[in-house]
Amino acid sequence: LKKISSQFYKKRTPIVAMSYKNYLNKPEEVGLLVEEIILGLKESKTEFMECFLFPSMGTIETVARFCKGSNLGFGAQNIAPQKNGAYTGEFSIESLIALGGRYVELGHFERKTLFFETNQQIKEKIHLTLSESMIPVLCIGETIKCEGQMLEEILMEQLKELLSEINEEKVVNVILAYEPGWAIGQAKPASIAHIHRSHTCIRRCCERLFTKEIAEHIRIIYGGSVSLTEVSEIVDHQEVDGVFVGRFGHEVNQFLEIIQRVSQMKEE
Ligand code: 13P
């Protein structure tokens, strides 16, 4: 895990993440897709970026096999709140570690709305993830579209609730995914202006909760109907460190092209 450098942090590694949710569930098919993604990554000049995938749980072992030794990372879309024990039907972080995964997606809008996951549960999972030296990808964002002070209050409240008990050494390893509920599963993402304002606001909230230096370390990515069409504009802002892709990354070429665009925008 990263340690906070004493010098002021300059550059955050850009991210392209993707979740297959429960769309692609057949190990063999997903294996072929991942193989193609890895091949595409090899041929691109994107080593300076961090790319990773959240496959559906039933395909995670296959994905792990393909990802081994490649520059595509992977993680779990959810974990049980404790390492092991009587948690019927849950996925343990122990399995993820054994498979070589690094990332744990937490607090996704669908987990909260369809499976009634609470902040308390999300918090436990963040703590477990960090204590196992894994990287939480923590989703936050407003459910109903709003702006200005109202939005700032909602985001601050979520960040405070979820992050305030984490020590400063560890919190820099959290990746925040700004995913407004109203922009998930749509034809288009939130407006570019809304995304840029919200990311600036999230960075400011982190600064208020921790320090300026820590806030500068934390990576914030945008998710919600990201496609090739808008991706360059989305990441064309200093507070946007990458994207979290859903449906519009199912096609390998589209996904690779999204990575390409982000790398072009974020190259030094
Ligand atoms: P869509 O891009 O399919 O809306 O999904 C985004 C998402 O929820 C990623 O976590």
Side-chain angles (χ1 to χ4, degrees), residues 18-19 21 23 105 108-110 139 179 183-186 223-227 244-248 250:
M18 173 159 68
S19 168
K21 304 194 181 186
Y23 282 111
E105 183 179 357
H108 190 276
F109 179 70
E110 285 145 24
C139 304
E179 298 213 336
I184 294 171
Q186 305 298 315
S225 310
V226 171
S227 77
F244 197 172
V245 183
R247 289 156 300 146
F248 302 124
H250 290 181

Side-chain angles (χ1 to χ4, degrees), residues 15 17 50 52 54 75-77 102-108 122 126 129 134-140 173-179 219 221 244:
I15 295 171
E50 205 170 312
F52 53 91
F54 292 107
Q77 295 175 12
R102 280 191 77 199
Y103 307 88
V104 179
E105 183 179 357
L106 294 171
H108 190 276
I122 298 168
I126 300 172
T129 302
M134 303 286 268
I135 300 176
V137 178
L138 176 62
C139 304
I140 55 163
N173 293 298
V174 174
I175 295 170
L176 291 173
Y178 171 60
E179 298 213 336
R219 286 172 301 165
I221 60 176
F244 197 172

Side-chain angles (χ1 to χ4, degrees), residues 136-230:
V137 178
L138 176 62
C139 304
I140 55 163
E142 76 282 13
T143 309
I144 296 163
K145 194 173 182 175
C146 62
E147 299 273 349
Q149 202 179 338
M150 172 96 165
L151 179 59
E152 179 143 4
E153 274 166 27
I154 292 171
L155 293 170
M156 186 64 186
E157 178 75 30
Q158 290 180 3
L159 289 164
K160 202 164 150 187
E161 169 86 17
L162 296 167
L163 296 183
S164 60
E165 285 157 36
I166 300 172
N167 76 43
E168 301 192 340
E169 283 284 311
K170 283 192 168 159
V171 81
V172 289
N173 293 298
V174 174
I175 295 170
L176 291 173
Y178 171 60
E179 298 213 336
W182 54 271
I184 294 171
Q186 305 298 315
K188 294 210 150 291
S191 76
I192 305 298
H194 182 90
I195 296 170
H196 293 172
R197 275 198 300 269
S198 305
H199 279 241
T200 307
C201 171
I202 293 167
R203 185 88 57 205
R204 196 162 54 229
C205 292
C206 291
E207 207 176 306
R208 274 162 61 201
L209 275 175
F210 301 101
T211 63
K212 189 170 173 60
E213 191 190 359
I214 285 168
E216 287 293 327
H217 270 78
I218 295 175
R219 286 172 301 165
I220 312 171
I221 60 176
Y222 169 79
S225 310
V226 171
S227 77
L228 196 49
T229 322
E230 296 89 359

Side-chain angles (χ1 to χ4, degrees), residues 36-103:
E36 270 186 73
I37 294 171
I38 291 168
L39 224 98
L41 277 179
K42 251 191 212 156
E43 287 160 9
S44 65
K45 292 198 184 84
T46 51
E47 303 83 13
F48 72 100
M49 304 217 312
E50 205 170 312
C51 301
F52 53 91
L53 180 68
F54 292 107
S56 75
M57 294 303 190
T59 66
I60 199 161
E61 202 269 331
T62 306
V63 170
R65 222 168 341 109
F66 280 98
C67 285
K68 204 168 177 189
S70 80
N71 44 7
L72 180 69
F74 71 96
Q77 295 175 12
N78 181 37
I79 51 162
Q82 298 297 324
K83 262 164 83 159
N84 53 49
Y87 301 98
T88 301
E90 289 292 295
F91 182 79
S92 165
I93 197 166
E94 288 185 333
S95 305
L96 184 64
I97 295 167
L99 289 168
R102 280 191 77 199
Y103 307 88

